[in-house]
Amino acid sequence: STLFPYTTLFRSNTDRFLLDSSASVKFSPNLAQYQVNLGSTHIDLADVRCVWLRKPREPILHPLIHTPHKVSFTQTETRAFFDGLWLSLTNCTWINPPLATYTAESKLLQLQKASKLGLMIPRTLVTNDSEEAFRFFDECEDGVIIKALRRGVYERDGGTLGIVRTTRLTAGDRSRLADVKFCPVLLQEYIRKKHELRVTVIGPHVFTCEIHSQADERTSVDWRRYDVDIPYKQGSLPGPVERTRLQLVSQLDRKSVV
């Protein structure tokens, strides 16, 4: 088809890579060979024409790798190996380029560029200064939410994954802002909303989903509760906002973004 003009598709989960797959890179004068083995399937990376880098995760390590220094070293080396593989794939289409993906995940950069393009953004504070955090909390009449600076995914004891959800702070939480000195946080003024818009951009195309998060108290602050049934509808953006959104994606060097 014109949408997928490639003869064969392969999927590799980065979190399972060290358990289920392998890869090798060989260099010799005037020659570089890259091969990935997914089970019994062998892929020459010179034949790859398109890559969709979809939320790569840290690899699960072998049970024998368990002491802190071994875990740290293995994770660092594996990350460097993955980065080298991806950056070496220069003759194919990326959705999205690895460096652009990493850069665009910065909420500070997103907010800076959105503001410069004229998009309305909520009052925001990113800090590890507790006095600044107290002051911001007191200045926001409708309340404050706290969210992760990047993905907000962490590993629990036992290896299962947890998620740091966007949370509205209460008056009782104010004193806990003293702890921001231990770790930077992102605080924003709470915005009362009728519904939310989830906007996906693929090339020049914009797809807008209307999420009625206020239909359930459990999704009223953070709609990402997939165990809760709330209405989703096709939505739309005003023309100027849609064009600005496309500008933002272009400035972030992305081909696709949500």
Side-chain angles (χ1 to χ4, degrees):
S1 70
T2 56
L3 184 59
F4 295 108
Y6 310 105
T7 56
T8 308
L9 301 176
F10 298 99
R11 172 173 173 163
S12 175
N13 295 321
T14 54
D15 57 331
R16 299 284 308 175
F17 189 84
L18 293 178
L19 303 180
D20 304 333
S21 310
S22 65
S24 298
V25 180
K26 297 179 181 179
F27 292 102
S28 57
N30 303 316
L31 180 65
Q33 294 177 301
Y34 300 81
Q35 181 171 298
V36 173
N37 304 309
L38 304 178
S40 60
T41 303
H42 307 290
I43 305 169
D44 186 339
L45 295 189
D47 297 329
V48 174
R49 293 293 173 264
C50 183
V51 180
W52 183 13
L53 187 62
R54 173 66 176 163
K55 293 186 177 180
R57 292 180 175 176
E58 291 288 341
I60 300 171
L61 305 184
H62 191 279
L64 291 177
I65 307 296
H66 58 83
T67 58
H69 68 279
K70 288 183 178 179
V71 169
S72 176
F73 181 80
T74 303
Q75 288 177 334
T76 300
E77 291 295 287
T78 304
R79 191 181 302 116
F81 185 49
F82 279 143
D83 289 346
L85 280 178
W86 296 335
L87 293 174
S88 299
L89 290 173
T90 57
N91 296 320
C92 61
T93 299
W94 276 90
I95 311 173
N96 292 286
L99 291 179
T101 296
Y102 179 81
T103 302
E105 286 180 347
S106 168
K107 288 189 171 68
L108 275 71
L109 181 65
Q110 295 169 10
L111 289 164
Q112 179 201 60
K113 290 188 175 294
S115 180
K116 284 186 175 181
L117 287 170
L119 290 172
M120 293 182 64
I121 62 174
R123 283 184 291 173
T124 302
L125 174 68
V126 180
T127 188
N128 70 331
D129 186 320
S130 55
E131 292 302 319
E132 287 283 354
F134 289 140
R135 190 156 38 247
F136 185 80
F137 184 92
D138 295 337
E139 290 172 353
C140 295
E141 300 83 2
D142 286 335
V144 171
I145 59 100
I146 185 170
K147 61 171 65 173
L149 270 170
R150 212 165 251 277
R151 297 179 182 175
V153 176
Y154 65 96
E155 186 174 327
R156 300 188 183 100
D157 293 339
T160 60
L161 294 179
I163 183 170
V164 177
R165 300 187 185 279
T166 299
T167 302
R168 188 177 183 184
L169 302 182
T170 66
D173 294 320
R174 184 185 185 279
S175 62
R176 298 176 63 189
L177 292 174
D179 292 342
V180 305
K181 62 186 177 185
F182 301 122
C183 178
V185 298
L186 190 156
L187 304 172
Q188 286 183 324
E189 63 176 324
Y190 177 71
I191 303 296
R192 299 183 184 277
K193 51 205 171 186
K194 179 180 178 182
H195 55 256
E196 303 183 48
L197 298 178
R198 184 74 163 170
V199 181
T200 301
V201 176
I202 303 177
H205 306 289
V206 178
F207 305 91
T208 303
C209 177
E210 196 174 275
I211 304 173
H212 289 260
S213 57
Q214 305 309 293
D216 193 294
E217 179 65 26
R218 292 170 291 176
T219 57
S220 61
V221 177
D222 190 333
W223 62 270
R224 296 170 300 171
R225 286 288 302 268
Y226 305 111
D227 57 330
V228 179
D229 188 17
I230 55 176
Y232 290 73
K233 299 179 181 179
Q234 182 176 342
S236 62
L237 292 175
V241 176
E242 184 171 300
R243 289 190 290 273
T244 304
R245 180 76 178 183
L246 288 169
Q247 284 182 275
L248 178 60
V249 173
S250 176
Q251 289 192 11
L252 294 173
D253 193 26
R254 303 286 295 273
K255 293 180 174 61
S256 171
V257 71
V258 178

